[in-house]
Amino acid sequence: MSSRHLLRSVAMQSLYGWDFESSLIENDNHQEKFKKDRLDKIVKNNIREYSAGIESNDFVVELVDGVFKNMEKIDSLIKKLAPEWPIEQIMIIDRNILRLGIYELMFSKRKDVPAKVAINESIELAKTFGGRSSGKFVNGVLGSLYKEMERK
């Protein structure tokens, strides 16, 4: 497993854990700071637990922070691209894999990750961590976004 793939996996696991915990907390505005603080703690723990020996974990932090900062826009894209799936009904793992993939495709400032690589990495995460149809679902949503990006 390449270090980038491993770091994407750590980022996805962090977002998954945070999203799961957040769903248990009442959703009001004063909880937002708590949510970001909790996300940072989850990321630090997951880096320590799963990416020992990796020289730099900056990529994990960049991905997680980027998703968090752009969550509203990313979730609105998911709603648009998968209209028959209300976002709260998408499996938590699939939702966060999509968030990572969309962040890399639309919002990341990194020019060294081609769109097709970002999509393929998301599909691989979905196949590894998601359900039987997760890979196809992620491929369909991100493929639609890619086609839309190509048209523009």
Side-chain angles (χ1 to χ4, degrees):
M1 177 183 303
S2 77
S3 61
R4 279 226 181 225
H5 183 75
L6 174 63
L7 295 174
R8 278 185 184 91
S9 173
V10 172
M12 183 275 305
Q13 290 174 21
S14 299
L15 289 165
Y16 171 85
W18 170 81
D19 196 3
F20 180 78
E21 278 189 16
S22 295
S23 69
L24 302 175
I25 298 170
E26 283 188 41
N27 212 2
D28 54 20
N29 291 334
H30 78 276
Q31 295 292 342
E32 202 61 31
K33 171 120 173 68
F34 166 79
K35 286 182 178 183
K36 178 60 172 132
D37 290 344
R38 185 63 190 134
L39 178 58
D40 291 341
K41 288 177 185 172
I42 291 169
V43 168
K44 285 178 186 172
N45 184 57
N46 284 347
I47 286 172
R48 187 174 45 254
E49 183 76 23
Y50 301 115
S51 66
I54 300 290
E55 193 170 302
S56 173
N57 292 294
D58 294 345
F59 188 54
V60 174
V61 174
E62 175 193 328
L63 289 173
V64 171
D65 285 350
V67 168
F68 185 82
K69 289 174 186 167
N70 293 287
M71 184 86 63
E72 194 173 305
K73 293 175 190 170
I74 291 170
D75 285 356
S76 71
L77 280 168
I78 294 171
K79 290 174 188 174
K80 176 184 167 196
L81 295 165
E84 58 283 342
W85 285 94
I87 197 156
E88 35 317 305
Q89 290 182 5
I90 296 173
M91 289 188 339
I92 295 174
I93 198 77
D94 292 351
R95 181 169 58 228
N96 286 288
I97 291 169
L98 286 173
R99 286 172 173 161
L100 274 175
I102 291 171
Y103 170 74
E104 283 201 87
L105 286 171
M106 300 291 298
F107 301 100
S108 176
K109 291 180 175 46
R110 296 185 158 284
K111 299 296 180 197
D112 57 348
V113 179
K116 290 184 180 183
V117 171
I119 293 169
N120 188 54
E121 285 288 324
S122 296
I123 294 167
E124 289 306 313
L125 287 172
K127 287 179 180 178
T128 302
F129 294 100
R132 285 191 318 207
S133 60
S134 293
K136 290 178 184 178
F137 178 65
V138 167
N139 185 35
V141 173
L142 296 182
S144 295
L145 177 60
Y146 179 73
K147 287 177 189 172
E148 194 174 292
M149 290 169 55
E150 287 289 298
R151 280 187 289 235
K152 294 179 181 178

